[in-house]
């Protein structure tokens, strides 16, 4: 059984405050995109095992797909049957594109289907949240406003179709370090924030892209700015870093312009460059 596990981008990401438990409350607009890992599932054997040939991804019980399977069986309460999961990675790892969380969500959804929808979507999202903040979003699998640490989701239908060029440079950015170095002095919110741009349900990608984490990541890695400039230079309507980076995406209304830009941008062999669509 071969299943696709999509990446995500954050079109809007405000970090509201640090919570007493160390996590951060966010307000984000997230959208799945058509860049996929491929996962296959084999329900034989006696235990859970994961194979993934990507050097940055563990194959042991720390793999997020393994954790998802093991937590699913634990919550199910039955004796787990065997499950072999194979992951073919195409989504760059630790890149702000949510690949690991997406894989975990794909496992939870696949197992739930296999076991006759044992859990409701809400229950599955609760299980997913224990694995990672982005897992509930990938279980929903639709554009959404994401609040809290990632558990409060509202489907968002104000996005228009567009072409996305994703660029991931060969640099490492630690999500934890980015959050730690964020200056929350200015953004720490006491009141519930209201973002009027989400009221009319039409998100204007030309004017409203925003990521609080970008300033931190770019201060350490000017290459992120270089990528932003390259995308603008090649006709993107707007450009932003996704999540805690280092991936950057450019949005194009025109397909021919996106294809033209791809030709130029793939000339830089230090970058991984992908063409995708928003999954609306
Ligand atoms: P985050 O912002 O949560 O770190 P990300 O989207 O930037 O997420 P991921 O590709 O999900 O990054 O990888 C984050 C870490 O999780 C990596 O260090 C990686 O080794 C580990 N990991 C565990 N399981 C997986 C998996 N199935 N796919 C990708 N990475 C995984």
């Amino acid at each position: 059984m071969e299943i696709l596990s999509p990446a995500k981008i954050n079109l809007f990401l405000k970090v509201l405050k640090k919570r007493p438990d160390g996590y951060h409350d966010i307000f984000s607009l997230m959208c799945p995109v058509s860049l996929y890992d491929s996962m296959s599932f084999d329900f034989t054997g006696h235990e859970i095992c994961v194979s993934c040939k990507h050097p940055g991804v563990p194959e042991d019980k720390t793999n997020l797909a393994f954790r998802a399977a093991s937590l699913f069986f634990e919550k199910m309460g039955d004796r787990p049957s065997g499950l072999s999961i194979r992951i073919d990675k195409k989504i760059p790892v630790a890149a702000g594109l949510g690949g690991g969380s997406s894989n975990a969500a794909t496992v939870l959804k696949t197992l739930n289907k296999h076991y006759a929808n044992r859990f409701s979507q809400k229950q599955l999202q609760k299980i997913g949240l224990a694995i990672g903040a982005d897992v509930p979003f990938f279980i929903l699998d639709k554009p959404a406003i994401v609040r809290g640490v990632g558990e409060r989701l509202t489907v968002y239908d104000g996005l228009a179709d567009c072409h996305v060029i994703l660029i991931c440079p060969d640099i490492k950015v630690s999500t934890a370090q980015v959050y730690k170095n964020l200056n929350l002095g200015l953004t720490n919110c006491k009141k519930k924030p209201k973002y009027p741009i989400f009221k009319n349900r039409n998100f204007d990608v030309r004017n409203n892209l925003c990521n609080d984490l970008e300033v931190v990541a770019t201060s350490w890695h000017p290459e992120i700015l270089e990528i932003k400039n390259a995308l603008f230079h090649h006709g993107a309507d707007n450009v932003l870093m996704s999540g805690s980076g280092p991936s950057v995406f450019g949005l194009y209304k025109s397909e021919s312009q996106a294809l033209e830009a791809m030709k130029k941008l793939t000339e830089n062999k230090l970058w991984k460059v992908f063409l995708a669509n928003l999954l609306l």
Side-chain angles (χ1 to χ4, degrees), residues 180-241:
K180 209 171 148 196
N181 285 275
L182 184 66
N183 182 359
L184 278 170
L186 300 173
T187 55
N188 232 342
C189 287
K190 299 231 163 28
K191 281 195 251 161
K192 255 194 200 169
K194 292 193 173 69
Y195 295 108
I197 52 169
F198 293 100
K199 281 277 181 293
N200 67 9
R201 315 290 289 169
N202 277 321
F203 187 79
D204 173 6
V205 297
R206 272 192 198 270
N207 294 306
N208 293 332
L209 294 187
C210 158
N211 183 350
D212 276 352
L213 304 177
E214 198 182 71
V215 65
V216 183
T218 50
S219 70
W220 296 330
H221 302 288
E223 194 172 353
I224 293 170
L225 279 182
E226 198 188 310
I227 298 173
K228 290 188 73 173
N229 289 336
L231 281 159
F232 275 127
H233 181 73
H234 291 293
D237 295 321
N238 208 348
V239 171
L240 190 72
M241 186 182 87

Side-chain angles (χ1 to χ4, degrees), residues 136-153:
F137 162 78
F138 281 111
I139 289 171
L140 180 71
D141 201 18
K142 289 188 175 87
I145 305 276
V146 180
R147 279 175 278 207
V149 293
E151 78 286 12
R152 290 173 52 208
L153 300 167

Side-chain angles (χ1 to χ4, degrees), residues 56-58 62-64 87 89 92-101 103 175 244:
V57 177
T62 63
N63 189 296
L64 298 179
I87 310 171
K89 275 273 156 201
V93 173
L97 300 173
S101 301
N103 295 169
T175 303
S244 54

Side-chain angles (χ1 to χ4, degrees), residues 127-169:
I127 298 172
L129 189 64
I131 300 159
D134 291 340
V135 181
F137 162 78
F138 281 111
I139 289 171
L140 180 71
D141 201 18
K142 289 188 175 87
I145 305 276
V146 180
R147 279 175 278 207
V149 293
E151 78 286 12
R152 290 173 52 208
L153 300 167
T154 314
V155 173
Y156 184 74
D157 60 8
L159 277 170
D161 201 10
C162 77
H163 306 277
V164 186
I165 293 184
L166 288 155
I167 301 186
C168 184

